[in-house]
Amino acid sequence: MTQRIISGNVKRAGEADVGLWSQIQRWRYNEREFPASWRAILDAHYPAYATLGPEDRLAFESHLKHFVWTKNWEGAKGLEVTEEMKVLVAAAAARIARRLPFDVYDNLESIVIYPRTFSHEEGAATLGLAHKWGTVVLSWDSVTHGIEIPDDAQDTAIHEFAHVLDFENGGADGTPLLEDGRQYAGWVRVMSRYFEALREGGSIASVMDDYGATNEAEFFAVATEAFFERPLALKKVAPELYGELSLFYRVDPIEDQG
């Protein structure tokens, strides 16, 4: 059995706390041209890139540049982290956060990549881990599997970066930092309803992995996978859930599918 695990929490720094240097750094990254080699990697290996309209593509590329250039990248078990690995991992982070502020990943410092599933607790095979110390750990084989099968709602990189967004609100509880405080009541009502439906094996179980029934944090991460990979099916069985996720991420993945 494979696991996708979260550990602890990471608190997002507010925009006012970013500091002048970080703001200048972001401006410089935005001014730098998107590398042609990265575009070639995305064209060849990341199908979701081709579905983005001009504005979303620009936002996606801006987030991807910032992510690659600001994170520490480490290979485990002798793995050499290549440019292609960095771009494809960052693509998952940029895909789900392309319409969110740049600071959403500020407290994420390091990405560790294993060649394949790794042992985390009690010898269990683990696909990915979002850690309280600002680290995301991924197995490269699970990253590539998520890309190669784009419509099965199984994308470990998306799953773990959703956990990082969940941490923004101060805890791993399935409720990220929402744009408007008035949204929380509706968010909790809708998420609770569909979380219970998944636990009971309702129609939503035909779209979402039952791993999402583990707890509220896993529900949010698994729902995010379904939202981006199976948007039509998710909207059909859980329209209110789809609406809340669309409001949070500020995108409508159904439009990406044309």
Side-chain angles (χ1 to χ4, degrees):
M1 178 179 180
T2 54
Q3 294 182 328
R4 294 178 289 182
I5 303 171
I6 57 173
S7 177
N9 60 70
V10 178
K11 188 176 181 181
R12 172 185 173 187
E15 193 67 42
D17 299 326
V18 168
L20 180 60
W21 171 245
S22 293
Q23 294 183 46
I24 292 174
Q25 191 178 45
R26 284 176 183 156
W27 177 81
R28 287 177 174 172
Y29 290 152
N30 285 336
E31 289 298 304
R32 289 170 64 179
E33 186 176 353
F34 193 80
S37 61
W38 294 9
R39 192 167 286 119
I41 290 169
L42 293 167
D43 285 337
H45 302 293
Y46 203 74
Y49 180 64
T51 69
L52 300 175
E55 290 186 8
D56 271 323
R57 179 170 290 208
L58 179 60
F60 171 88
E61 291 180 349
S62 295
H63 268 278
L64 192 148
K65 288 189 297 183
H66 187 266
F67 196 94
V68 170
W69 289 331
T70 61
K71 307 309 174 191
N72 299 317
W73 297 86
E74 305 172 32
K77 298 292 184 180
L79 180 70
E80 179 183 353
V81 179
T82 65
E83 178 184 58
E84 180 178 302
M85 290 177 179
K86 292 179 182 180
V87 170
L88 294 179
V89 169
R95 182 182 178 187
I96 68 174
R98 63 185 184 262
R99 290 292 183 177
L100 300 179
F102 280 108
D103 67 341
V104 293
Y105 293 123
D106 271 3
N107 285 303
L108 175 57
E109 297 180 355
S110 298
I111 310 296
V112 179
I113 305 176
Y114 279 77
R116 57 194 61 85
T117 55
F118 54 94
S119 178
H120 174 64
E121 291 178 345
E122 300 179 355
T126 303
L127 302 178
L129 166 67
H131 205 283
K132 65 180 179 181
W133 295 316
T135 300
V136 162
V137 186
L138 297 166
S139 61
W140 180 241
D141 59 353
S142 69
V143 172
T144 56
H145 176 83
I147 295 170
E148 290 167 358
I149 307 176
D151 58 357
D152 64 348
Q154 296 279 338
D155 189 306
T156 298
I158 285 178
H159 183 101
E160 300 306 331
F161 292 129
H163 280 317
V164 175
L165 298 180
D166 186 10
F167 293 156
E168 285 190 278
N169 205 32
D173 58 4
T175 301
L177 186 63
L178 302 180
E179 185 176 18
D180 188 332
R182 291 172 294 184
Q183 293 175 236
Y184 285 101
W187 176 278
V188 171
R189 176 182 60 80
V190 171
M191 292 294 165
S192 296
R193 172 188 168 192
Y194 286 107
F195 175 58
E196 291 301 323
L198 184 61
R199 293 181 67 184
E200 294 170 3
S203 60
I204 193 172
S206 66
V207 180
M208 286 177 55
D209 191 322
D210 60 8
Y211 189 68
T214 305
N215 55 46
E216 290 84 353
E218 295 298 349
F219 179 82
F220 171 63
V222 170
T224 295
E225 291 177 274
F227 178 69
F228 283 97
E229 290 217 332
R230 303 190 68 190
L232 283 167
L234 183 65
K235 188 172 184 178
K236 181 177 180 179
V237 302
E240 287 185 290
L241 174 60
Y242 188 90
E244 290 294 331
L245 292 170
S246 184
L247 186 62
F248 168 66
Y249 284 110
R250 309 178 192 179
V251 297
D252 185 348
I254 291 175
E255 294 181 356
D256 294 345
Q257 296 188 347

